[in-house]
């Protein structure tokens, strides 16, 4: 059982509350808790390439598709007159747009706006509330999810559920919270990330393939055989 006095020496750095969140069982020692904390850092770090590839590819695919099928200047058009976005998402767009305008002045570009809109903004666009304005518009769904299986019905709601779940995991990682108390659930989340990436446009750069380490770290931490479940649709793409 963990000794409270032992754990107090981490008060000025990790904090007792954070370490206690890694105390899963009554018989856990401080060494076990610290090892879990370190492993949480390792597994969180290992997910960075996948999360990065998903976020960047998704936002670029949405932007390029909306430019192609709605308007080349859809960002500026929306700023001038709210036509597509809900009030909440419109406020995010305006806030980001104005901030970039202030910070970059003569070097302002809409590309900088795109890059600074957070993951929540882009995942919000991937929801059924935008069916009429985006997802039922000819070319939009397939323009973004280029490799979506032809034998599946094109329903943004299905993707939206998975993206919300991925966003929760991403936020936990970037708030340094425990993410692997349930190893199987974490592996399922990884599979979902890879599934969405597999639907998005890809190229031959092999960036993700050459930087990914998640499965290796996962298998090391959980002592599992070097294989995963349910990965038939999760070929690593760049």
């Amino acid at each position: 059982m963990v000794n409270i006095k032992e754990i107090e020496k981490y008060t000025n750095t990790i904090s007792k509350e954070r370490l206690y969140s890694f105390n899963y069982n009554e018989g856990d020692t401080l060494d076990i808790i610290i090892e879990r904390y370190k492993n949480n850092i390792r597994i969180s770090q290992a997910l960075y390439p996948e999360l990065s590839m998903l976020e960047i590819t998704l936002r670029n695919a949405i932007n390029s598709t909306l430019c192609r099928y709605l308007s080349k200047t859809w960002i500026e058009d929306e700023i001038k007159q709210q036509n597509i976005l809900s009030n909440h998402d419109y406020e995010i767009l305006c806030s980001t747009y104005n901030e970039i305008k202030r910070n970059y002045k003569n070097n302002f570009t809409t590309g900088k706006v795109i890059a600074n809109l957070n993951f929540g903004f882009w995942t919000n666009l991937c929801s059924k509330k935008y069916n009429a304005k985006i997802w039922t518009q000819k070319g939009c769904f397939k323009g973004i999810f280029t490799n979506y299986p032809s034998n599946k019905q094109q329903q943004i709601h299905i993707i939206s559920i998975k993206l919300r779940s991925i966003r929760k995991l991403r936020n936990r990682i970037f708030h340094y919270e425990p993410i692997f108390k349930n190893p199987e659930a974490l592996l399922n989340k990884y599979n979902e990330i890879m599934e969405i990436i597999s639907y998005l446009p890809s190229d031959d750069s092999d960036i993700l393939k050459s930087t990914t380490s998640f499965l290796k770290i996962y298998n090391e931490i959980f002592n599992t055989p070097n294989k995963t479940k349910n990965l038939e649709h999760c070929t690593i793409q760049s």
Side-chain angles (χ1 to χ4, degrees), residues 169 179 181-191 218:
L169 173 64
I179 66 166
K181 188 172 184 179
N182 184 334
E184 187 172 353
L186 179 60
L187 184 58
N188 288 338
K189 287 288 182 295
Y190 169 82
N191 289 345
Y218 180 93

Side-chain angles (χ1 to χ4, degrees), residues 115-133:
N116 280 273
L117 285 164
N118 60 33
F119 191 46
F121 176 84
W122 300 109
T123 56
N124 284 347
L125 288 186
C126 296
S127 62
K128 63 182 181 180
K129 70 180 178 181
Y130 289 115
N131 272 341
K133 296 293 180 69

Side-chain angles (χ1 to χ4, degrees), residues 165-206:
S165 176
I166 292 168
R167 186 172 72 188
K168 287 180 182 178
L169 173 64
R170 177 196 179 279
N171 289 344
R172 289 190 67 83
I173 287 173
F174 285 99
H175 286 92
Y176 320 112
E177 296 175 5
I179 66 166
F180 72 103
K181 188 172 184 179
N182 184 334
E184 187 172 353
L186 179 60
L187 184 58
N188 288 338
K189 287 288 182 295
Y190 169 82
N191 289 345
E192 287 184 353
I193 293 169
M194 295 305 298
E195 178 187 358
I196 302 299
I197 289 175
S198 75
Y199 297 157
L200 294 167
S202 61
D203 56 34
D204 297 324
S205 61
D206 287 337

Side-chain angles (χ1 to χ4, degrees), residues 24-39:
Y24 300 160
N25 305 301
E26 188 175 336
D28 286 345
T29 64
L30 180 61
D31 287 342
I32 290 173
I33 291 172
I34 293 296
E35 186 65 19
R36 285 197 190 119
Y37 184 85
K38 290 190 290 187
N39 282 336

Side-chain angles (χ1 to χ4, degrees), residues 210-227:
S210 64
T211 57
T212 184
S213 63
F214 175 81
L215 294 178
K216 177 179 179 292
I217 299 299
Y218 180 93
N219 291 327
E220 287 177 1
I221 291 174
F222 300 113
N223 297 313
T224 58
N226 192 22
K227 61 182 180 179

Side-chain angles (χ1 to χ4, degrees), residues 1-237:
M1 183 179 295
V2 63
N3 186 308
I4 294 176
K5 288 187 177 180
E6 284 184 319
I7 214 169
E8 281 181 348
K9 65 182 179 181
Y10 295 97
T11 299
N12 293 328
T13 53
I14 304 171
S15 86
K16 291 187 292 184
E17 290 78 10
R18 179 50 53 90
L19 281 178
Y20 274 129
S21 66
F22 291 88
N23 185 12
Y24 300 160
N25 305 301
E26 188 175 336
D28 286 345
T29 64
L30 180 61
D31 287 342
I32 290 173
I33 291 172
I34 293 296
E35 186 65 19
R36 285 197 190 119
Y37 184 85
K38 290 190 290 187
N39 282 336
N40 191 68
I41 293 174
R42 292 178 67 209
I43 201 73
S44 297
Q45 182 183 37
L47 271 172
Y48 178 85
E50 284 79 4
L51 291 171
S52 172
M53 184 62 67
L54 172 60
E55 183 167 350
I56 292 171
T57 308
L58 179 65
R59 78 186 185 204
N60 288 340
I62 292 175
N63 177 59
S64 62
T65 298
L66 296 188
C67 285
R68 188 182 309 123
Y69 291 104
L70 298 186
S71 167
K72 290 183 179 180
T73 56
W74 77 272
I75 291 283
E76 293 91 339
D77 296 345
E78 191 68 14
I79 290 289
K80 291 174 183 175
Q81 184 174 349
Q82 181 183 358
N83 181 51
I84 300 172
L85 302 177
S86 68
N87 289 337
H88 174 71
D89 296 330
Y90 181 69
E91 287 173 4
I92 293 175
L93 175 62
C94 289
S95 175
T96 303
Y97 187 94
N98 292 332
E99 181 181 0
I100 298 302
K101 199 86 169 174
R102 284 194 304 271
N103 291 342
Y104 289 93
K105 298 177 182 177
N106 294 334
N107 293 319
F108 171 85
T109 64
T110 54
K112 290 184 174 68
V113 177
I114 299 299
N116 280 273
L117 285 164
N118 60 33
F119 191 46
F121 176 84
W122 300 109
T123 56
N124 284 347
L125 288 186
C126 296
S127 62
K128 63 182 181 180
K129 70 180 178 181
Y130 289 115
N131 272 341
K133 296 293 180 69
I134 297 175
W135 302 109
T136 57
Q137 297 295 313
K138 185 178 179 181
C140 281
F141 186 97
K142 201 64 175 174
I144 295 165
F145 301 104
T146 309
N147 302 307
Y148 195 78
S150 57
N151 62 343
K152 288 187 178 182
Q153 189 175 1
Q154 296 179 6
Q155 289 185 320
I156 195 60
H157 179 61
I158 304 296
I159 292 175
S160 175
I161 292 171
K162 293 179 180 180
L163 282 175
R164 284 201 302 270
S165 176
I166 292 168
R167 186 172 72 188
K168 287 180 182 178
L169 173 64
R170 177 196 179 279
N171 289 344
R172 289 190 67 83
I173 287 173
F174 285 99
H175 286 92
Y176 320 112
E177 296 175 5
I179 66 166
F180 72 103
K181 188 172 184 179
N182 184 334
E184 187 172 353
L186 179 60
L187 184 58
N188 288 338
K189 287 288 182 295
Y190 169 82
N191 289 345
E192 287 184 353
I193 293 169
M194 295 305 298
E195 178 187 358
I196 302 299
I197 289 175
S198 75
Y199 297 157
L200 294 167
S202 61
D203 56 34
D204 297 324
S205 61
D206 287 337
I207 292 173
L208 181 54
K209 189 175 181 179
S210 64
T211 57
T212 184
S213 63
F214 175 81
L215 294 178
K216 177 179 179 292
I217 299 299
Y218 180 93
N219 291 327
E220 287 177 1
I221 291 174
F222 300 113
N223 297 313
T224 58
N226 192 22
K227 61 182 180 179
T228 59
K229 309 174 197 174
N230 303 323
L231 287 175
E232 68 274 5
H233 56 287
C234 293
T235 302
I236 295 178
Q237 300 186 20

